[in-house]
Amino acid sequence: MLPHPLAFSVRRALLSGVVLLCGTPALAADFAYEVRPGDNPWNLTQRYLKDISYWPRIQQYNRISEPRRMVPGSRLLIPEQWLRLQTREVRIDAVRGDVTIAVADGSSRPAQAGDRLEPGSRLVTGEAGSAALAFADGSRVQLRPRSELGVQQSADFAAGAGSWVRLELLRGSVDSLVAPRSGPAGRFEIQTPAAVAAVRGTQFRVHADERSARSEVLEGRVAFGNEAGSQALDAGQGASAQAGGGVTPPRALLPAPVAQPLFADRLPVNLPFPPLDGARAYRVQVTADGRFDTVVSDRTGDRPAVLAADLPDGDYHVRVRGIDADGFEGRDGEWALKVDARPEPPVLVEPAPAARVSDERPQLRWSRARPDESWRLQIADNPKFDAPRIDRSDLSEPAFRPDDALPPGVYHWRIASRNPDEGVGPFSDAQTFRRPPPGPAMEPPQAGPEGLALRWRDAGEGMRYQIQIARSEDFAAPAVDAQTDSPSWLLRDAQPGTWYLRVRSLAADGFEGDWAPTQAITVPEPAPAFRVWWLLPLLLLI
């Protein structure tokens, strides 16, 4: 929110009264105090300044000619270094991952929840580290992975004039939830190498590196600026700044993605969500607490998906925001995420995916992860498993063979693991195998005037057949290799001798059945031609 008209402000503030501070410590800031009835240099000095001897300085600094007749509503400027301050603690409220405290003498140590940060110390988070800082007035700052934040000051002004917090974000990102400033002098500042964000109570983010800074406001108003200029950012706006350059005009942030509950029964977690218009990338944070003080995963990618490598089973919160073409991160969508992925399902070993299994009682095998686990197996005729043909939850060995024959067809199977520590886990991804129909039974061949008629049992409507006829049992060079819609074949002009033949059915989708057992047939030598030459003498005698 904007400072109240009675608030202290900085001499170089905008006319609107928004507090703006430059990032250069050498520039002194003045508080502007609005005179109230009964104020004079003496009682103001007693209430707010370091020592009573400062009252002549206030009078001289503000050119007060009649100190006992100060006009209510007029403004006094007071250099900040004259104000009396009492240091207040900054506490590390939550820590996760690699987080260290670096102090002024150059030493460092691992950070722990409950540690206090003294002025001049820095908090540094590693690749997967995050931390939350708690301030005496109830404000919180959440430091994200790969960040470095220094504490310059956390103090209360005298006589209830408010608190003054100054932080320095050297690199990385912070999310800040600043309690409304109490008292006329209260303020909260985050300085970066390129600009300063100053507020009196709001929710906002700051991102920084060595040369640039960016701020995004979620609630309230933030003053964001440097020596070259400043901007007042309202909720839903952002701006950026370069070191030595001005601040960009406010721009609208992307809206929040549509929230939806998420459930993960697979690792790594890879859950898509609806894409957001105008987003070129997404930032996804996962936390085990509702405040996002620390995060178990903080990823940025171009896919609209929740990605996390290894989350223990449990309930989480997901925060998602789009990132526009200039790198501004939009408003947050927050979702519930439940992970129930353990024990992880085994690896399905046999049959292989989409395998062809001729055995009518096929052997199924899968992996074992620990000696005390057992399994649940389902085999179904459809991928929904709404009416499994086989559902066994009492398997203690990683193998199974059905008691009864499986008819020809396509089957889907999956396995879930169980152990004493984690209970029953999710099913594996289903795999399929196919039981082909057996080869059609052959009938005895029938010799006729046109050739040898071959017939076999009809496999059903819509089926085709492949027939092979060869001189050798290996069918290496078949004399006939043909397909037909009819369960019959006419073998014409076959040479005498032994022939081998086999038949299989072909489903409408092209799936090939098993070959029927090979049949051997013998084509006999032709009967001798009728010899009439011996009748010729008799004919000549007539």
Side-chain angles (χ1 to χ4, degrees):
M1 63 177 66
L2 284 172
H4 188 276
L6 296 180
F8 286 101
S9 62
V10 177
R11 173 183 288 175
R12 297 173 180 83
L14 295 175
L15 293 178
S16 63
V18 177
V19 177
L20 285 175
L21 296 177
C22 67
T24 305
L27 274 173
D30 289 351
F31 287 106
Y33 177 75
E34 187 170 307
V35 175
R36 302 173 184 178
D39 284 341
N40 58 59
W42 301 278
N43 58 28
L44 289 176
T45 301
Q46 287 179 324
R47 287 199 298 265
Y48 301 121
L49 303 190
K50 294 178 179 179
D51 188 272
I52 190 62
S53 62
Y54 278 84
W55 74 263
R57 304 186 194 186
I58 289 182
Q59 186 171 339
Q60 181 179 6
Y61 197 73
N62 289 275
R63 299 189 177 96
I64 300 174
S65 57
E66 297 186 34
R68 297 186 181 277
R69 296 182 180 180
M70 294 173 60
V71 179
S74 62
R75 303 179 74 197
L76 294 181
L77 297 178
I78 305 173
E80 62 185 26
Q81 63 268 30
W82 295 0
L83 296 168
R84 186 165 73 251
L85 296 171
Q86 179 181 1
T87 299
R88 299 295 299 272
E89 71 174 25
V90 179
R91 186 182 73 254
I92 300 177
D93 206 37
V95 172
R96 185 180 182 89
D98 180 18
V99 182
T100 58
I101 299 173
V103 296
D105 63 6
S107 62
S108 63
R109 58 182 174 84
Q112 297 181 359
D115 285 346
R116 268 59 172 174
L117 293 179
E118 301 296 332
S121 61
R122 291 174 292 114
L123 197 61
V124 183
T125 58
E127 186 70 23
S130 55
L133 302 183
F135 296 83
D137 64 353
S139 298
R140 300 183 74 80
V141 168
Q142 297 155 338
L143 189 63
R144 298 313 180 196
R146 303 171 297 280
S147 301
E148 183 174 357
L149 181 72
V151 176
Q152 295 182 324
Q153 178 175 282
S154 177
D156 286 346
F157 293 107
S163 62
W164 183 12
V165 175
R166 287 188 297 139
L167 306 176
E168 183 179 21
L169 181 63
L170 300 173
R171 58 184 174 88
S173 301
V174 293
D175 291 16
S176 303
L177 181 58
V178 179
R181 301 289 88 188
S182 61
R187 67 192 194 193
F188 192 104
E189 306 164 9
I190 298 180
Q191 301 179 1
T192 75
V196 172
V199 300
R200 283 184 56 82
T202 187
Q203 186 175 358
F204 68 108
R205 311 185 199 109
V206 178
H207 314 271
D209 57 30
E210 294 180 354
R211 298 294 303 167
S212 64
R214 188 174 69 253
S215 182
E216 298 138 3
V217 183
L218 305 180
E219 294 180 6
R221 178 176 285 189
V222 170
F224 185 67
N226 56 23
E227 292 176 321
S230 59
Q231 295 287 350
L233 307 180
D234 290 319
Q237 293 183 330
S240 62
Q242 297 289 326
V247 179
T248 62
R251 61 181 300 158
L253 303 179
L254 291 175
V258 177
Q260 57 182 17
L262 299 172
F263 175 77
D265 61 358
R266 295 288 185 276
L267 294 176
V269 175
N270 184 1
L271 299 172
F273 53 83
L276 189 64
D277 289 342
R280 66 159 181 82
Y282 300 86
R283 187 166 192 169
V284 180
Q285 297 171 329
V286 181
T287 183
D289 67 77
R291 294 193 298 189
F292 286 83
D293 281 344
T294 61
V295 291
V296 297
S297 177
D298 190 339
R299 292 173 177 249
T300 300
D302 57 1
R303 294 174 52 195
V306 177
L307 302 173
D310 189 15
L311 293 178
D313 287 356
D315 295 317
Y316 297 89
H317 296 272
V318 175
R319 178 179 285 172
V320 178
R321 52 184 176 258
I323 303 175
D324 67 19
D326 294 320
F328 285 92
E329 301 182 10
R331 290 185 176 272
D332 294 314
E334 292 191 12
W335 307 330
L337 168 63
K338 185 176 185 62
V339 178
D340 187 8
R342 293 173 178 82
E344 295 184 51
V347 177
L348 306 188
V349 176
E350 181 185 11
R356 173 196 182 93
V357 180
S358 296
D359 190 344
E360 62 183 13
R361 294 176 54 237
Q363 172 85 11
L364 281 66
R365 295 191 303 113
W366 53 92
S367 66
R368 181 195 290 272
R370 47 190 282 178
D372 59 349
E373 69 179 327
S374 58
W375 299 272
R376 181 181 181 184
L377 162 72
Q378 288 185 336
I379 301 177
D381 302 319
N382 64 75
K384 294 182 179 179
F385 290 86
D386 47 10
R389 178 182 290 267
I390 296 174
D391 190 348
R392 293 283 301 273
S393 59
D394 58 348
L395 301 178
S396 58
E397 294 297 328
F400 175 79
R401 186 185 293 275
D403 296 329
D404 301 320
L406 294 179
V410 177
Y411 293 94
H412 308 262
W413 68 294
R414 62 185 184 177
I415 303 285
S417 293
R418 176 195 294 110
N419 65 56
D421 300 324
E422 299 168 310
V424 180
F427 278 107
S428 64
D429 291 334
Q431 287 186 183
T432 62
F433 64 89
R434 191 158 189 169
R435 281 270 297 111
M442 296 291 297
E443 298 177 1
Q446 300 290 326
E450 296 183 359
L452 194 63
L454 306 174
R455 296 184 182 279
W456 53 87
R457 183 174 298 173
D458 192 339
E461 185 179 355
M463 299 294 286
R464 290 176 57 79
Y465 308 93
Q466 181 181 5
I467 181 169
Q468 290 184 342
I469 304 175
R471 280 291 196 182
S472 61
E473 290 186 79
D474 62 4
F475 293 88
V480 174
D481 188 353
Q483 294 185 15
T484 176
D485 295 327
S486 172
S488 64
W489 186 262
L490 182 62
L491 180 61
R492 303 173 185 271
D493 303 324
Q495 295 297 316
T498 300
W499 291 87
Y500 299 92
L501 62 92
R502 62 183 183 180
V503 178
R504 64 179 173 183
S505 58
L506 304 175
D509 62 359
F511 184 76
E512 300 169 345
D514 286 342
W515 290 105
T518 300
Q519 301 287 325
I521 60 173
T522 300
V523 178
E525 293 286 343
F530 182 63
R531 296 179 174 86
V532 298
W533 57 270
W534 58 274
L535 295 175
L536 290 177
L538 296 176
L539 295 174
L540 291 174
L541 292 175
I542 295 177

